[in-house]
Amino acid sequence: MVAVDERTPLVLVAGWRGSIESVAQSLLDEETIVVHHSLDAVEAGLVPRTVTTIYEGRRIQHIGVLKLDHGCVSCALRKDLLPLLRQLHRRSNVSRIVVQLDPQLEPEALAWAIEHIVVSGMVGYIDGPAARDVRIEGVVTCIDSETWLDDATGDARLTDGRTVAQVAVGQVAFADALVVSGRSDDGWAQARLHATLARLAPGAPIQWGVSAGFFVDRLLSVISPISRRGAIGDVFEPLLRGEPPLHEDCGVALFEFTADRPFHPERLHDAVEVLLDGVLTARGRIWLATQNDQVLWLESAGGGLRVTSAGRWLAAMTADELDNAAPTRRAMAALTWDERFGDRHTSLVVLAHAADPAEIDRALRWALLTDDELGASEQWQAWPDPFGRAHTDPCGTSESPYAETDYRGEERE
């Protein structure tokens, strides 16, 4: 017998710009409720919450204001949204929940919170994450065709240190479906945008144009069965999700850089400049000579780049740690295992929109160790390491969906 999932379906509607409210409200019906938290005044400790329902054919809005001790997105989620999702699940007249995300929110961060942050102290409820009661049916990201590429390739920063590009790129990369608003008479610009979206969110159905008669429910119905639907990826999974086009189109190219020797830290520090000019995003695993036991995760968006720790290489683990490593990771590592260096490697996926992939490849290969350096591993630890700066999250808790790991490398303006 197939188990029935009795959790309430949840749709997340995100976007830096675009028809976010129109898309969310289009899903409203007698059994669907729309929830929206505005973060415009979060730094002042105020988060207005709007809950929209339909009763006897009338659209009704319930508005309240959440007061926080300090402006923290994580606190807003823990104190109000996550408990609210669990409460709405129990309402007999609610068969679906739609969360209209504030433009500053990345759907991946909220999906992580739904799955991992424990909601406790609710009378009549077993302590646990909101995922006990809701499941993400789909993530719909809205973009403005006239501004998105500029937002996704710029270097403007938000007050919490994230870049606008990081948010705009992350919202699309995590999407199961896309809604593109705005009209352009520039056929080349639209073709270029389509080429970019097809590589950043491969397989995601796209609704071009928003009109009075558009149907988001129809868009949700054609989401691929293998779409992530809120699932958080692992850094050791294949970097190319789905089946993105690998040929160049309108100057947009997606390609992979791989290496079986480590980077020299100072040369890599210089070389990463190539990922900040004409590159929409780059992401992947880094092997750095001065941190030989650590897997480093590199991620860029527009003019911002960060390097964080992603744990230890299998070759550096103890026997007990190996026993706890994911079987799929161990199986994949066994296919390319090196007698000296084990599973250590570099693998990056780069999405370029105005850069030459050959130039990027050349710059990154220049940063790898030479044969002589590779043979002098006893010297590696003595080299200066620009990626060795420690970091402590401002909130002092790993529960924040925006918290870095306990290591943070260079973050470049």
Side-chain angles (χ1 to χ4, degrees):
M1 179 181 295
V2 178
V4 178
D5 192 339
E6 297 183 348
R7 296 177 297 172
T8 301
L10 173 66
V11 178
L12 306 183
V13 180
W16 176 248
R17 304 180 199 263
S19 305
I20 310 168
E21 183 176 2
S22 297
V23 169
Q25 294 296 322
S26 73
L27 294 169
L28 188 65
D29 60 34
E30 295 281 354
E31 295 184 346
T32 298
I33 194 165
V34 177
V35 178
H36 172 55
H37 287 76
S38 173
L39 301 180
D40 289 344
V42 69
E43 291 189 355
L46 301 176
V47 180
R49 180 188 75 182
T50 303
V51 178
T52 307
T53 60
I54 290 182
Y55 180 71
E56 294 183 349
R58 293 184 300 128
R59 183 171 173 271
I60 300 173
Q61 287 190 328
H62 306 270
I63 301 175
V65 177
L66 173 66
K67 295 182 179 180
L68 303 176
D69 295 333
H70 51 85
C72 174
V73 175
S74 179
C75 293
L77 295 176
R78 285 200 306 268
K79 290 188 174 183
D80 197 69
L81 178 56
L82 300 181
L84 178 62
L85 293 178
R86 300 199 67 185
Q87 292 168 351
L88 293 176
H89 163 71
R90 290 196 177 184
R91 291 192 185 179
S92 59
N93 63 336
V94 175
S95 62
R96 181 175 63 179
I97 305 167
V98 175
V99 174
Q100 175 191 333
L101 276 68
D102 185 272
Q104 300 179 47
L105 272 178
E106 298 171 58
E108 184 172 7
L110 180 54
W112 182 93
I114 289 170
E115 187 68 32
H116 293 96
I117 292 181
V118 174
V119 180
S120 59
M122 295 179 63
V123 178
Y125 291 78
I126 298 173
D127 289 354
R132 292 180 62 96
D133 298 319
V134 298
R135 59 175 176 83
I136 297 178
E137 182 182 41
V139 176
V140 181
T141 293
C142 307
I143 70 172
D144 185 323
S145 63
E146 298 178 4
T147 62
W148 184 82
L149 196 54
D150 287 338
D151 290 332
T153 55
D155 56 8
R157 287 192 178 274
L158 302 176
T159 56
D160 61 10
R162 291 175 298 149
T163 64
V164 171
Q166 177 186 337
V167 175
V169 169
Q171 289 169 340
V172 171
F174 200 70
D176 299 305
L178 300 169
V179 175
V180 182
S181 61
R183 301 187 62 179
S184 174
D185 296 328
D186 188 339
W188 170 260
Q190 182 162 328
R192 190 161 172 255
L193 176 61
H194 185 273
T196 303
L197 298 179
R199 287 156 179 77
L200 187 56
I206 304 176
Q207 167 77 45
W208 292 90
V210 178
S211 63
F214 82 107
F215 298 99
V216 182
D217 270 316
R218 184 179 301 168
L219 192 65
L220 290 171
S221 70
V222 295
I223 290 175
S224 168
I226 61 173
S227 190
R228 69 167 76 220
R229 298 178 189 268
I232 306 298
D234 185 272
V235 298
F236 298 102
E237 292 179 355
L239 297 175
L240 290 173
R241 292 182 58 88
E243 297 181 357
L246 297 180
H247 63 278
E248 182 179 329
D249 186 6
C250 298
V252 179
L254 180 69
F255 61 97
E256 188 172 14
F257 174 89
T258 61
D260 58 2
R261 62 176 61 199
F263 282 112
H264 187 286
E266 291 185 307
R267 290 204 298 273
L268 178 61
H269 185 263
D270 293 336
V272 292
E273 293 288 345
V274 76
L275 299 177
L276 302 177
D277 187 11
V279 172
L280 186 82
T281 182
R283 55 191 294 272
R285 299 174 290 272
I286 291 289
W287 176 16
L288 196 65
T290 45
Q291 301 185 46
N292 193 42
D293 290 346
Q294 293 292 313
V295 183
L296 299 185
W297 178 258
L298 180 149
E299 190 164 6
S300 75
L305 181 147
R306 62 182 178 180
V307 177
T308 59
S309 173
R312 293 162 63 83
W313 295 109
L314 294 177
M317 289 184 179
T318 65
D320 288 342
E321 289 173 331
L322 280 172
D323 287 341
N324 293 323
T328 52
R329 179 187 172 188
R330 286 183 291 172
M332 291 297 294
L335 297 176
T336 56
W337 193 269
D338 181 86
E339 290 186 4
R340 180 181 176 189
F341 296 119
D343 60 322
R344 295 177 177 90
H345 70 281
T346 287
S347 182
L348 293 171
V349 168
V350 182
L351 178 57
H353 67 98
D356 183 354
E359 288 295 326
I360 296 174
D361 184 87
R362 187 177 301 112
L364 293 176
R365 295 207 180 278
W366 167 79
L368 296 170
L369 297 195
T370 65
D371 289 344
D372 288 343
E373 291 169 334
L374 189 65
S377 57
E378 71 281 356
Q379 299 177 13
W380 295 356
Q381 292 301 314
W383 293 341
D385 184 354
F387 298 95
R389 184 175 57 186
H391 169 74
T392 302
D393 181 70
C395 288
T397 172
S398 62
E399 289 187 335
S400 169
Y402 295 132
E404 301 283 353
T405 55
D406 59 2
Y407 164 86
R408 182 175 182 176
E410 187 77 355
E411 178 164 337
R412 307 181 65 86
E413 298 291 343

